[in-house]
Amino acid sequence: MAAGDPLRLTDRAGAQAFVQGLLAVMRDLEAVLARESEGVRAGRIAEAMTGTPAKTELAAAYMTGLEAAKANAIALARFAPEGLDALRAAQKRFAAVLEVNQQVLATARTVSEGLIKALADEVAKTRTASVYGRPSHAPSPYGRAGANSGPLVLSRNL
């Protein structure tokens, strides 16, 4: 079979091997996602993201496996019905792990965006002069308001 040919399940042994392989990919991907979620929750972002190459590879294998399972649904039901049930149960567990991972990542993103916005606001406050309690900008010889403001620089190595 060439690399581009679709997988065709024609016997019980092949169907069972396919199911076991897909279940293994799902278990490995669940583990990577769980480690990532725990690392982000603990604030160890760099450590949590070390699994990204493995996650990408496993996600691709998972998607390929799902496509093959859909294409061979009748063969799976005929040759390995218990494997089909195991895949359904594993899919439910995987969906739960994926949902938790997405929630953790969304929360981290929201928190980091809030921190950046608060930092930018603080920097802007310290650079804005106040006259009688109201923000004021000194006139610029170039006709631009806020000509004294500089760029905000962040370090990604934290």
Side-chain angles (χ1 to χ4, degrees):
M1 182 182 342
D5 290 345
L7 175 67
R8 292 288 167 222
L9 300 175
T10 57
D11 62 355
R12 182 168 175 76
Q16 288 176 333
F18 170 76
V19 167
Q20 292 307 314
L22 186 53
L23 287 172
V25 167
M26 290 174 76
R27 273 191 306 273
D28 293 346
L29 188 53
E30 281 179 34
V32 169
L33 291 173
R35 276 194 306 272
E36 181 180 84
S37 295
E38 284 304 312
V40 171
R41 275 189 191 130
R44 297 185 311 264
I45 307 296
E47 182 182 317
M49 295 299 129
T50 58
T52 300
K55 182 173 77 169
T56 302
E57 200 173 297
L58 288 167
Y62 171 68
M63 292 306 294
T64 301
L66 280 185
E67 290 172 10
K70 287 178 187 176
N72 290 285
I74 295 170
L76 284 171
R78 180 176 172 206
F79 296 126
E82 68 285 346
L84 207 50
D85 293 338
L87 283 173
R88 285 187 187 116
Q91 181 63 31
K92 285 182 183 177
R93 281 192 321 271
F94 179 73
V97 169
L98 186 61
E99 184 177 346
V100 167
N101 180 263
Q102 292 300 309
Q103 289 173 349
V104 167
L105 293 177
T107 301
R109 179 179 178 173
T110 301
V111 168
S112 64
E113 286 174 352
L115 289 172
I116 295 298
K117 185 176 181 330
L119 179 62
D121 290 346
E122 284 299 315
V123 168
K125 275 187 205 174
T126 60
R127 292 183 178 256
T128 304
S130 63
V131 177
Y132 300 112
R134 295 174 48 201
S136 172
H137 296 284
S140 169
Y142 304 107
R144 296 180 296 170
N148 293 335
S149 64
L152 177 64
V153 179
L154 301 174
S155 172
R156 291 180 163 244
N157 295 328
L158 295 178

